Amino acid sequence: MNYLRHVNLLSRRFCTSKRCIKISQTDVKHVPQKAVASKIELHKPPPKTEIDADTIALLERLSLVDCANKEGIRILEASIEFADYILQVDTDDIESLFTVLEDIPLQVREDKVTEGDCREDILKNAVVTEEEYFVAPPGNIPLEARENPLHEEK
Amino acid sequence: MDKILLTDIKTVSRCLNGGVLTSSDLTNFSLNRALKTLKYNAFINITHDEAQKHAELSSKRYSKKKSLSDLDGIPIAIKDNFCTRGIKTTCASKILNNFVPTYNATVYQRLLDAGAVLIGKTNLDQFAMGSGTIDSIYGPTKNVWNFDNNSEDFYIAGGSSGGSAVAVASGVCLGAIGSDTGGSTRNPASYTGVIGLKPTYGLISRLGLIPLVNSMDVPGLLARTVDDIVSILNAVAGFDPKDSTSLTKPYRKIKLPPANKISIKGLKIGIPIEYHCQHLSKEIYDVWNEIAQLLASNGAIVKQVSLPHTEYSIVCYSILNQCEVASNMARYDGIEYGFRADEDSSTEKLFAKTRSIGFNEVVRNRILTGNYFFINQSQLKKNYEKYFAKALKVRRLILNDFDNVWNDVQVLLTPTTLSDAPLYSDFVKKTNRDQCAIQDYCTQPANMAGVPAVSIPITHSKKGLPLSLQLIGRNLSEPMLLALAKYIENIVQFPHFVTKQDNKSNEEYQLLFLTK
């Protein structure tokens, strides 16, 4: 134990007022001195997932965001690599936890109208409306897959 | 006189009651200070008109001796992911840049009912995704500490509720509301040197809090003293019939005794060994150990405990976060509200274009990854079972770890963040995802288990930046948690940023009130 540091510990105060309480004059380390060894590093990582063009096309259709460029895929693959650590955990006979409130019955209210009649409020923030309707372009037209998504730069 | 803003809620409330100044005076001090501290970029929107309107009503109430509560006239700030009627609420995203809610978040409504004054909506990482408040379309929020007017670089405020934390740390407001999904209130509290409370899941209503992860989100509270946190908590906590995840158990207002009357004799405090991880800085380690020693030498029983799945908690959190995000972000399609791209050929194309332009890269990547974990198409691609269902089970293991530990101890003492605030230039060297994995290490387990946690500033690092610690308790243990926090606060006497700037203490204001 470094002597100088020991002295500093004994004489150190957190404040200068008279209400200050000194730290105990012992050398006890309540916090373990060494970082706990990583369990993750003990396991051999699974082979890194590489995203193929079909998966990208599927993800773009499901997500409806345009991000399947090189950088986006790289970040996705890195996220999957990180998520793969979870496969190391033994979850046999463990039930899923959907909500921390699982032991509390859901509060259900009476089937009575308590508010509403606020069409104006509901339509207020829509950029395009027609009379009392929201307006959308034609549906049921699937998004086309892009050519060569894996080779695009952003 | 405007230095009164730099005291605390109790002192200000007494001065307002005693007519030392009016609510309108106080609000004007606050608004002026907000304008003087624009360099930190804490606010997306300073609500001048709203603030002055609230303040005038408050002044009238005080003149008739009909104040609503100890928060009447108190300037507060709210993170810009809480809906405020008639005031734009953007989530720091282009996709909600034009969104003006038609209702109030319950938290905001309750503060209004208590008479509080809204000074403004604060900056955040877009949709609360981040731990630095740097991923906002309005630019980054900068830490008040070690701020250099002549430099492009700055120390980060932490995130995602960085704006709210800085609004409090800089002395503009006496309290602020943030949100906490993986540490977003406690992280910036730690870096800016204020108190940050993550309440028990379900204690404070989430109605009007634009959701990130429904099963983990909670409104968070920020203030400079524990007593102030209690004042705000008492105003906002309790059942809300409009939030089906809100706890129905009646909320009893907390009344903490004076700090010198709090005894910790026999209090069992646990040190979870796994929180001493690889990236923990020596300075945080030393502070953690010193406070543990301090508590032990004042009668507490301090012992090491184990939360064996801690290392996997951050992995589990990242999967569940990305999955719930993929689901929650599906509502932004440009039709009912928000930004709408110029695209008429098909709904899918409209949605895709709107969302690609409207969301930043961080949000888009989380949606993509979340949807990847949901793929359940063929024998080869059973990601749903492999990742999402697996993560749900690991979440149970993490909850079990906490349940086991409460058999042994009553509260846990841990770091909040692994170091003092990093420089922006260093912070951006890693991706948002990589940063969150380090920044959220000690904070997200409390969100996974739903338990309350509070971050308290202790002292300063060699660089002069705040070093903070975290207390975690079992569900609804806020009274005990905040009492212990007050005990520690009283001992360490952390020199706040506003105190360092100005020497007038609370006692002088007490005197002012008595002599008037």
Side-chain angles (χ1 to χ4, degrees):
Chain A
M1 172 69 169
N2 183 313
Y3 176 72
L4 274 173
R5 199 180 164 280
H6 184 72
V7 168
N8 286 337
L9 203 64
L10 289 177
S11 62
R12 184 164 161 190
R13 289 182 154 89
F14 281 108
C15 60
T16 51
S17 93
K18 286 181 191 158
R19 286 171 290 171
C20 160
I21 299 171
K22 263 195 244 189
I23 306 163
S24 159
Q25 294 186 16
T26 67
D27 214 10
V28 177
K29 288 267 182 264
H30 292 279
V31 181
Q33 280 182 278
K34 282 212 174 92
V36 165
S38 164
K39 289 182 192 167
I40 285 176
E41 285 170 12
L42 294 174
H43 292 82
K44 187 171 161 231
K48 191 172 169 197
T49 305
E50 274 178 27
I51 306 292
D52 59 30
D54 281 344
T55 310
I56 297 177
L58 174 65
L59 285 175
E60 281 220 312
R61 267 198 45 238
L62 289 172
S63 313
L64 292 175
V65 288
D66 159 28
C67 47
N69 47 61
K70 264 192 182 159
E71 182 64 8
I73 297 307
R74 194 191 62 77
I75 293 180
L76 171 60
E77 287 174 349
S79 300
I80 298 167
E81 203 181 349
F82 186 69
D84 279 337
Y85 295 146
I86 208 151
L87 307 173
Q88 297 171 5
V89 185
D90 179 8
T91 52
D92 287 344
D93 299 325
I94 303 291
E95 257 186 73
S96 300
L97 181 75
F98 294 100
T99 169
V100 296
L101 302 178
E102 60 186 1
D103 293 331
I104 303 173
L106 185 67
Q107 186 86 352
V108 176
R109 71 184 187 101
E110 273 195 67
D111 188 15
K112 281 201 179 131
V113 174
T114 51
E115 57 188 281
D117 228 352
C118 53
R119 185 190 288 126
E120 211 187 290
D121 273 355
I122 292 172
L123 292 172
K124 222 181 231 181
N125 277 294
V127 173
V128 179
T129 55
E130 179 137 336
E131 294 185 19
E132 289 146 3
Y133 291 87
F134 292 117
V135 180
N140 284 326
I141 303 170
L143 202 66
E144 300 136 11
R146 287 186 294 153
E147 290 175 20
N148 295 329
L150 276 171
H151 302 287
E152 258 177 76
E153 293 295 343
K154 205 167 10 157
Chain B
M1 177 52 108
D2 61 331
K3 302 291 188 275
I4 195 164
L5 261 185
L6 314 182
T7 61
D8 55 63
I9 291 176
K10 212 188 299 185
T11 305
V12 174
S13 184
R14 282 221 199 103
C15 290
L16 289 172
N17 267 310
V20 172
L21 80 165
T22 67
S23 305
S24 297
D25 293 332
L26 182 66
T27 290
N28 286 330
F29 292 154
S30 177
L31 290 169
N32 286 336
R33 199 177 176 91
L35 292 174
K36 286 207 187 100
T37 54
L38 290 175
K39 60 189 176 183
Y40 303 126
N41 199 28
F43 288 92
I44 289 177
N45 179 14
I46 299 173
T47 50
H48 292 272
D49 293 342
E50 204 72 24
Q52 279 164 342
K53 206 171 61 178
H54 294 159
E56 220 182 282
L57 292 170
S58 174
S59 299
K60 288 203 178 109
R61 287 193 294 265
Y62 274 111
S63 68
K64 293 188 190 145
K65 302 274 183 214
K66 284 199 171 140
S67 67
L68 293 168
S69 75
D70 58 350
L71 290 185
D72 205 324
I74 300 293
I76 49 119
I78 297 197
K79 189 174 179 181
D80 207 21
N81 60 351
F82 284 87
C83 289
T84 43
R85 186 188 293 120
I87 302 168
K88 73 170 185 167
T89 299
T90 67
C91 292
S93 175
K94 186 177 167 75
I95 218 163
L96 285 181
N97 204 12
N98 60 352
F99 177 64
V100 181
T102 53
Y103 65 99
N104 283 333
T106 298
V107 169
Y108 177 50
Q109 186 59 54
R110 289 184 181 180
L111 286 170
L112 285 180
D113 293 342
V117 173
L118 178 70
I119 298 299
K121 305 296 292 296
T122 56
N123 202 13
L124 62 156
D125 283 299
Q126 186 163 143
F127 282 108
M129 295 186 207
S131 50
T133 314
I134 55 159
D135 283 315
S136 158
I137 59 167
Y138 300 102
T141 293
K142 303 179 184 184
N143 204 324
V144 296
W145 296 95
N146 293 2
F147 185 86
D148 184 357
N149 279 309
N150 300 318
S151 171
E152 290 254 326
D153 210 354
F154 55 90
Y155 287 93
I156 63 163
S160 58
S161 312
S164 282
V166 168
V168 167
S170 63
V172 172
C173 295
L174 284 154
I177 304 292
S179 65
D180 197 310
T181 304
S184 292
T185 290
R186 292 162 285 156
N187 174 298
S190 170
Y191 286 154
T192 57
V194 299
I195 316 267
L197 172 71
K198 176 219 169 284
T200 303
Y201 181 82
L203 182 63
I204 303 182
S205 171
R206 288 186 301 115
L207 180 85
L209 166 57
I210 295 172
L212 173 62
V213 180
N214 289 306
S215 69
M216 298 186 212
D217 288 350
V218 293
L221 309 187
L222 294 147
R224 292 192 296 274
T225 71
V226 175
D227 279 338
D228 288 353
I229 293 277
V230 171
S231 293
I232 302 171
L233 183 64
N234 284 341
V236 301
F239 176 60
D240 178 9
K242 289 187 177 181
D243 175 0
S244 66
T245 58
S246 148
L247 296 171
T248 52
K249 184 175 171 185
Y251 174 73
R252 258 180 72 195
K253 295 200 181 194
I254 298 174
K255 257 192 116 177
L256 292 182
N260 56 13
K261 293 253 168 25
I262 298 174
S263 167
I264 59 167
K265 282 203 165 57
L267 183 68
K268 297 202 190 110
I269 303 178
I271 306 285
I273 58 174
E274 290 85 1
Y275 280 59
H276 187 172
C277 62
Q278 199 194 349
H279 296 284
L280 189 72
S281 78
K282 173 118 194 349
E283 284 182 309
I284 295 274
Y285 170 83
D286 286 340
V287 170
W288 189 12
N289 201 43
E290 281 160 8
I291 294 296
Q293 280 192 39
L294 190 139
L295 296 172
S297 60
N298 285 291
I301 302 166
V302 179
K303 52 189 347 197
Q304 289 183 8
V305 293
S306 174
L307 294 167
H309 296 92
T310 301
E311 205 188 353
Y312 294 101
S313 184
I314 184 75
V315 180
C316 182
Y317 171 76
S318 84
I319 295 171
L320 294 179
N321 180 300
Q322 286 160 327
C323 287
E324 290 214 33
V325 160
S327 171
N328 272 325
M329 297 294 125
R331 70 192 68 193
Y332 301 104
D333 54 23
I335 304 280
E336 301 92 342
Y337 46 75
F339 170 74
R340 179 182 178 129
D342 196 6
E343 177 58 64
D344 279 329
S345 56
S346 74
T347 47
E348 292 217 359
K349 263 208 169 135
L350 170 66
F351 296 166
K353 195 168 176 193
T354 297
R355 292 152 64 81
S356 302
I357 299 173
F359 289 141
N360 73 359
E361 199 186 316
V362 172
V363 176
R364 298 198 310 262
N365 283 326
R366 287 204 194 185
I367 294 171
L368 200 68
T369 313
N371 277 317
Y372 178 82
F373 294 142
F374 280 141
I375 292 175
N376 215 36
Q377 286 213 311
S378 65
Q379 281 302 99
L380 290 171
K381 283 198 165 78
K382 288 246 180 261
N383 294 343
Y384 186 96
E385 286 301 320
K386 186 179 178 189
Y387 294 104
F388 181 65
K390 181 87 175 173
L392 290 176
K393 294 183 180 195
V394 174
R395 189 173 178 183
R396 164 95 44 209
L397 291 173
I398 289 155
L399 178 66
N400 290 348
D401 280 356
F402 277 100
D403 285 343
N404 290 335
V405 118
W406 304 136
N407 290 329
D408 232 350
V409 295
Q410 294 160 271
V411 65
L412 300 171
L413 174 70
T414 79
T416 310
T417 50
L418 303 179
S419 68
D420 57 5
L423 273 170
Y424 173 78
S425 53
D426 288 329
F427 190 76
V428 293
K429 286 184 184 147
K430 290 199 159 75
T431 64
N432 178 293
R433 202 200 61 77
D434 287 338
Q435 271 303 355
C436 287
I438 300 168
Q439 299 292 328
D440 294 344
Y441 192 89
C442 298
T443 50
Q444 45 71 30
N447 299 87
M448 301 276 277
V451 291
V454 63
S455 177
I456 323 159
I458 306 292
T459 185
H460 289 100
S461 67
K462 283 197 279 282
K463 288 190 212 135
L465 297 164
L467 293 171
S468 303
L469 291 178
Q470 174 178 238
L471 298 171
I472 308 174
R474 62 194 316 162
N475 283 333
L476 297 176
S477 65
E478 278 84 349
M480 182 271 295
L481 213 60
L482 292 169
L484 181 57
K486 187 169 176 177
Y487 182 87
I488 297 172
E489 170 189 60
N490 183 50
I491 293 178
V492 304
Q493 296 284 310
F494 176 77
H496 284 287
F497 181 76
V498 295
T499 322
K500 278 195 146 189
Q501 283 209 308
D502 185 82
N503 291 321
K504 226 172 201 157
S505 69
N506 283 357
E507 279 131 10
E508 290 186 50
Y509 276 104
Q510 307 274 13
L511 206 63
L512 193 68
F513 161 70
L514 288 169
T515 54
K516 170 120 181 152

